[in-house]
Amino acid sequence: MADTLAATPPRRRRQLFWPSFALPGVGWLLALFVLPIYAVGAVTFGGVDPVLRTPQPQWNPLHWDFSTLSDVLSRVFTGDLQNVFLRTFAFVGLALLGCCLIGYPVAYFVARKAHRSRSSLLALLVLPFWISYLMRMMAWVNLLQPDGYVNRILHFLHLQGPPHNWLNGDWPTVVIGLVYGYVPFFILPLYATLERLDGRLLEAGRDLGASAFQTFRSVTLPLSVPGLMAASVITVLPMFGDYYTNTYLSQGSPKTQMIGNQIDQYLHQSSQPRTGTALVLILMAMLSVLMVYYVYTTLKQQREALR
Amino acid sequence: MSTSRRDFLARSAQLGVLLGAGVPLLQACGSKSGSSGGKVDPIADGLKPEKGPLKLFNYADYVNPDVIKAFESKYGVKVEITTFDSDSEAITKLANGAVKVDVHHSASPATVGRLIEGKLLRKLNKTYIPNFTNVLDAFTSPSYDPGSMFTVPYTIFSTGIGYRADRIDAATVEAKGWDLLWDPKYKGQVEIIDDYREGLALAMLHKGLNDVKDLNTSDKAVLEQAGKDLASLVGLVNVKVTIDGYKDIPEGTVTVAQCWNADMLTATGYLPSGVDASVIGYWYPKDDIGVVNSDCMGVMANATNPVLAHLYLDFMLDKANAELNFQTNYYLPAVKGLDADYLISKGYVPENLRNAVLSADQQKKGVPFLTLPEATDTLWQDTWSKFTAGG
């Protein structure tokens, strides 16, 4: 009996030792994720000071008023905000496609083919993070403005007559901006996956008579799906909330407005903060559907891998 | 062992209290004006100025630093400036107590009404502001603050059209007026101000007003029509919605822009080298009926230096100081004696931008944006949102 008593605490201590490492992370999430989201909800479902029009958050869920959310929901699904949501989804989809087309070959090359130059290439991939995102967008403004280098080169090559203003609310400009801004985030997780691919599997594929392309299609590509998924999630989530890429590259044209611009407008330039926070909640709900799908497929793959 | 367990419980309880405190803390952030606990009655006569530091709340780079220095040395105090980016950001931060200052330096007429009703501003005691007699006649008792009980104007500005005078001649501009912005000839070179009041008012002025009161209308039909007219700008001229006219016109990427008069005066500093200021033009309706707003100064109800704050307002209304301010920000001070003739003779304003200095008639007939009732304001904002989201 005495032995058991003496023995229990250390074992329990050992059991708690490793999980306790998660405590700072949990605290961080609670303070800087859960609480702020609750505050966003409290603002959306709360009131507004009738005179000063500042939000009066309602912290008690029993007294929540859902009228703003339902108004905004109907504007999003059937009303005037529908096209902003559709446009945002289209822009993000196209930008993701661009990221795949550019990012996959780069990640593949660095991970599998660049042997000696790998570390210097990796350093180059991280380089964009040293420069502020806004600075990089402003650089694009310089390149794309009517007398910028893009037009000068096109003119020099006789590919263009009168100079075109690429910053006039052209959707390709915004999509290119998004691809440029987020492609480094896409490449790095993909690189990590491709770098860990078991080379013996590829060799087996070739030994069994598959061509280089067939090996790529039936071995490399399926094995890089988890990396592609992770890279997509990491790039798509911030792209949905992005508004400054559009602000800089189409100078406030209504033709390219994204949902982030509407949120910014309602939170910073209006007296309807609740509409802004309702849009935040709706966007988050849509994104969490994507997140659930991602988590589901990743878990499924892990289970299959263990089998 | 038991001691540590008790410790643990005690600590958990502390943590719980801390977490629990977070909610009321946030609640306080969002609570209404009442929390400011200020007084709105004017201060008594003949009080001594406080020791400061005097805290101002203003747009960035909106006062001449030399004027601030002169005030500091005259009263032997420090002046601290907190900045904001937009009118709505300013009122939100003042209302929820995120910012505590003595002077709101630049409130628009649309927020002055709310600041007064929300009891955030203190009634002024004019005995501390002898320079109030310098204020332009049209602004001594403005519609948004009758009798200037709570505010004195800092600057005034009109909304018109900035254009490239080397691409469009003045006669065409005069003949077309607001139509200029809807002219497909300038497709891709048209800009309007990124502000829901300015944007919708522009469409109303373009359509022609039945009554100047329409610029503050609650009429749904008028607003809907204005929204439609704005939306037509997307197809007709591929309009951009920004506040960059002050640099886009001089740089030449834009030919016509709805803008503030001060933008075109500022623009003279953004011209590429070798380009003369004569390429810049500014148009305002000939009948002088248009949008004229002001940025107003007021003393906060919860000011800790109310006497000093009054003295600061007085200092800003001094003609010499006002002139110094104009030289840095190009916004016309609401002070007598700084008319077009004077500013041109001093070389501050080129002759071709004479119209960018508000005449007495423009001051008198111009309409400010007033505080709208909540439901009306929502309608304006949603109509604007529909336009900016469209295309």
Side-chain angles (χ1 to χ4, degrees), chain A residues 15-251:
Chain A
Q15 274 169 358
L16 289 174
F17 181 71
W18 292 112
S20 74
F21 276 42
L23 267 181
V26 171
W28 179 271
L29 270 180
L30 278 176
L32 297 172
F33 182 73
V34 178
L35 195 64
I37 286 185
Y38 187 71
V40 169
V43 169
T44 312
F45 307 128
V48 162
D49 182 297
V51 176
L52 297 163
R53 322 262 160 88
T54 45
Q56 288 177 315
Q58 175 56 260
W59 298 99
N60 184 353
L62 296 174
H63 296 140
W64 278 357
D65 166 18
F66 295 96
S67 61
T68 306
L69 184 69
S70 69
D71 285 351
V72 178
L73 270 174
S74 69
R75 284 179 71 188
V76 168
F77 285 101
T78 53
D80 55 296
L81 289 175
Q82 192 187 35
N83 57 354
V84 191
F85 269 84
L86 291 176
R87 190 185 297 129
T88 307
F89 271 83
F91 282 9
V92 171
L94 286 169
L96 181 62
L97 188 69
C99 282
C100 284
L101 293 177
I102 294 169
Y104 195 92
V106 173
Y108 187 82
F109 177 78
V110 178
R112 315 278 333 160
K113 301 292 172 194
H115 302 292
R116 266 191 228 148
S117 53
R118 186 185 291 169
S119 42
S120 37
L121 283 175
L122 270 178
L124 283 176
L125 284 178
V126 182
L127 211 58
F129 295 110
W130 288 31
I131 306 159
S132 139
Y133 190 94
L134 290 183
M135 288 294 283
R136 289 191 279 143
M137 283 304 133
M138 281 188 226
W140 272 104
V141 171
N142 276 317
L143 291 175
L144 293 171
Q145 64 196 19
D147 59 347
Y149 284 106
V150 170
N151 275 350
R152 281 193 220 174
I153 291 168
L154 289 176
H155 184 73
F156 179 75
L157 298 173
H158 297 287
L159 290 171
Q160 181 185 244
H164 178 74
N165 188 356
W166 301 95
L167 306 171
N168 247 344
D170 292 341
W171 64 263
T173 306
V174 178
V175 171
I176 288 171
L178 286 172
V179 172
Y180 172 78
Y182 290 96
V183 82
F185 296 94
F186 189 89
I187 295 174
L188 290 176
L190 194 57
Y191 161 82
T193 311
L194 291 175
E195 204 252 334
R196 270 181 286 141
L197 273 190
D198 191 343
R200 290 171 302 177
L201 290 172
L202 307 184
E203 281 164 20
R206 296 304 296 273
D207 285 348
L208 292 168
S211 69
F213 177 71
Q214 281 171 325
T215 319
F216 172 77
R217 213 190 53 191
S218 26
V219 183
T220 316
L221 202 55
L223 287 175
S224 37
V225 165
L228 277 171
M229 294 282 290
S232 301
V233 166
I234 284 174
T235 45
V236 155
L237 295 186
M239 270 199 251
F240 270 109
D242 189 302
Y243 65 97
Y244 32 83
T245 305
N246 178 46
T247 305
Y248 276 92
L249 296 184
S250 74
Q251 301 180 331

Side-chain angles (χ1 to χ4, degrees), chain B residues 86-99:
Chain B
S86 73
D87 212 31
S88 58
E89 179 196 339
I91 193 170
T92 306
K93 285 188 171 169
L94 291 171
N96 65 24
V99 164

Side-chain angles (χ1 to χ4, degrees), chain B residues 350-371:
Chain B
E351 176 64 44
N352 61 307
L353 287 173
R354 175 177 283 270
N355 209 15
V357 182
L358 286 88
S359 68
D361 275 342
Q362 288 173 0
Q363 294 165 20
K364 207 158 58 194
K365 292 186 187 164
V367 181
F369 294 131
L370 302 174
T371 300

